[in-house]
Amino acid sequence: MSQQCSHLLKPFTVSPQIFCRGNKVSVNFETSGTFNLGNGFVAQLSNENGEFTSFTNLGSTTGSSIEATIPDRPQSSKYKIRIVSSAPYSFALDNSTGLTMRSNPVPTFTLQPDGQIVQFKNVALLGGNVIYKNTTSGTGQCEWNFGAGASIATFSGCNPPPVTYSTIGEKIPSLRIVDGGCSGSSVDHTQLLEINTCNPKIPAEVTVIRTGEVLDGPAKVILICPGATYTTRDGSKQVYIETGATFNSFTSFGSKSFSRKGSVSNISSEYSEVIYEDGASISRTVNHMLLCPTIEFDYSLVKCRCNQDCNLTSLNEAVSNKDLSVFPNPTEGNILINGVDESFKVAIHNAQGNLIFQEMFNTNSIDLTNLAAGFYTLKITDSNGVKMEKLVINK
């Protein structure tokens, strides 16, 4: 059972009386009586209410003076310090006078794209102004860092000017408060900001959906052409939706889509990202929506676009006049190619004109049972040139 030590301390002093995190504190005390071998004295800091129901050990000694460092604690003027002996365990009266703990304000801020229609998430357009507002309670010097590509990298002051970004992607702007009651600075407050463009460059590896309705597939980047429909249950897609195209997303995870006017998007996930043009039909409000004045796709990396017959225009080789046959056609997947050399190459394009298979063969028997039912084009190349054959797979 612990006891108040009757022979340990006389009244002691603490200096200074007002602290900030990281300040040094001196506790000087006098003892009387005899303590057990190995005894030590520990200085303990009360909670913010001046109570020792919870406490923090500041430092220890075997002598009569303790130099300690003040930890990060809530702001209050009721802190107390007491001395405890270890052998035997007993504690003295505290210093009795409330000690004041100061701290810098906890920084907070808001950000708003100027003149841009945004819903829910922190998003903005490339080159557009983003307005930052300090909402911190308390005083102090504001130090900002606006992230990569910002027109103003850093700013000292609590009312920064509008900021624009020259690069797309995620930014992590931050704010800290310096000398807001204590020397040093506060912890950083950060937010996530995503900068988008209304003129996205479609990646070269895009899968182009030209006609009909296509259900899912392994492709991660999709271009949906006018009149076509693409439906997915995979949330990790990046989708470009032309006028007259339809995108259906039935997933609990989000996709990122760019929707031109006259397109339709039926989205079941609130975590999706939608960059859209006025006149696009969006079936639900999602966490990330950004309205563009106009959307223009950059096709500079795309070899085969919506208005091209990619089954043929992608072939630069001379077409062979040699008689070849593919049997059976239609097929369930196993075919024979007659009239080819002992070694030949087969490239297979799907109905959207995308290359999905390419391999060298030295036998005319080929197993295509792993392909889904549909229409395909076979590009057969041997020493005589190139031959194109249409193939229908039925399952």
Side-chain angles (χ1 to χ4, degrees), residues 96-231:
S96 74
T97 302
L99 305 174
T100 298
M101 184 78 68
R102 290 178 178 173
S103 63
N104 286 328
V106 177
T108 61
F109 66 87
T110 62
L111 61 92
Q112 176 64 44
D114 186 25
Q116 303 170 40
I117 299 178
V118 176
Q119 291 175 289
F120 301 113
K121 193 176 177 182
N122 288 338
V123 294
L125 286 176
L126 191 71
N129 285 338
V130 179
I131 308 300
Y132 285 90
K133 182 179 179 181
N134 171 42
T135 55
T136 306
S137 296
T139 60
Q141 175 65 29
C142 299
E143 298 290 345
W144 300 84
N145 187 316
F146 297 109
S151 57
I152 306 171
T154 60
F155 181 78
S156 295
C158 292
N159 297 294
V163 178
T164 61
Y165 290 87
S166 60
T167 58
I168 63 174
E170 291 186 345
K171 316 296 178 182
I172 307 179
S174 65
L175 170 64
R176 67 172 53 188
I177 304 298
V178 179
D179 295 327
C182 290
S183 61
S185 61
S186 69
V187 295
D188 287 357
H189 174 67
T190 63
Q191 294 194 44
L192 182 64
L193 170 65
E194 183 169 350
I195 302 298
N196 279 295
T197 176
C198 295
N199 182 220
K201 181 174 288 189
I202 301 178
E205 66 272 16
V206 66
T207 294
V208 185
I209 310 299
R210 287 184 174 76
T211 59
E213 181 172 3
V214 176
L215 305 177
D216 263 334
K220 297 299 184 183
V221 183
I222 308 294
L223 169 62
I224 312 176
C225 296
T229 299
Y230 179 73
T231 301

Side-chain angles (χ1 to χ4, degrees), residues 272-287:
S272 293
E273 301 180 22
V274 177
I275 297 89
Y276 68 105
E277 194 175 11
D278 192 21
S281 174
I282 312 297
S283 65
R284 71 170 293 170
T285 300
V286 297
N287 277 352

